[in-house]
Amino acid sequence: PDILASDTATSESIIHHAIEFYQAKGVNVEHVMLLQPTSPLRNKNHIKAALDQYLNSDKVVEMLVSVKITDANPYYVLAEEDEAGYLIKSKTSNATRRQDVPTVYEYNGAIYIYNVAALKNKPIKDFTKVVKFEMDAISSIDIDEPLDWKWGEFILNSKKS
């Protein structure tokens, strides 16, 4: 519908619409996979492995999300501005070396798999049973701006050589 064909529509509203559309046709939807077109280096092997991991998990999963290990570690290089205008670390730790803090993951936008029952009960932002599907940095390229496009082209052209 027109309301979802806009710059302000959310992926969550589109997913809910799709679920309702198919359920109105009598199709019981238990899981939804979102594959954003901005992840050109995600491939069929990633998709199959993520789906296998989601379907064969031994725990309750509300969402599986693809991630990469982030370069922007919140313990050392990310900061927020406090009320007084001073920068403070985004996360604190007693660790004195970067190698001693927990590994931090970044959503890469390539694969999302949702449990429809969970989607019907609460917004995605409130999910607590989220598992990761880890991808390498190259496969995690996400096209959000012109520089990302150029980087993606470079990687694809490098693979052809």
Side-chain angles (χ1 to χ4, degrees):
D2 288 345
I3 195 159
L4 296 178
S6 70
D7 288 340
T8 57
T10 64
S11 295
E12 189 165 0
S13 62
I14 293 165
I15 291 166
H16 279 286
H17 176 268
I19 292 166
E20 292 163 9
F21 174 85
Y22 282 103
Q23 288 181 336
K25 294 185 174 289
V27 177
N28 181 35
V29 180
E30 294 180 36
H31 316 283
V32 172
M33 181 182 291
L34 173 63
L35 302 173
Q36 298 184 124
T38 55
S39 299
L41 300 181
R42 167 199 58 226
N43 62 45
K44 66 182 179 181
N45 296 327
H46 295 124
I47 296 167
K48 183 178 179 337
L51 188 57
D52 287 345
Q53 179 183 327
Y54 174 84
L55 293 174
N56 296 312
S57 177
D58 58 353
K59 53 183 134 186
V60 175
V61 177
E62 295 171 321
M63 177 174 80
L64 175 142
V65 61
S66 59
V67 299
K68 67 174 183 166
I69 294 175
T70 188
D71 293 327
N73 190 306
Y75 293 97
Y76 284 90
V77 298
L78 296 183
E80 301 169 24
E81 192 172 44
D82 69 10
E83 303 81 34
Y86 295 108
L87 289 180
I88 57 172
K89 296 288 184 198
S90 291
K91 287 188 76 134
T92 59
S93 169
N94 292 329
T96 56
R97 298 178 329 133
R98 178 184 50 81
Q99 296 85 347
D100 296 331
V101 297
T103 302
V104 181
Y105 299 95
E106 175 181 341
Y107 286 20
N108 67 7
I111 302 169
Y112 298 87
I113 305 175
Y114 302 100
N115 178 306
V116 172
L119 276 171
K120 290 181 177 181
N121 287 325
K122 57 187 167 184
I124 294 168
K125 68 177 182 59
D126 293 337
F127 284 180
T128 56
K129 294 175 173 59
V130 178
V131 296
K132 72 180 185 335
F133 174 74
E134 190 173 339
M135 293 172 61
D136 64 272
I138 295 295
S139 300
S140 295
I141 290 174
D142 189 30
I143 309 295
D144 286 328
E145 55 188 62
L147 183 59
D148 299 332
W149 181 271
K150 292 197 175 295
W151 177 236
E153 281 183 329
F154 173 79
I155 295 299
L156 287 173
N157 288 332
S158 296
K159 287 184 174 191
K160 292 177 187 173
S161 301

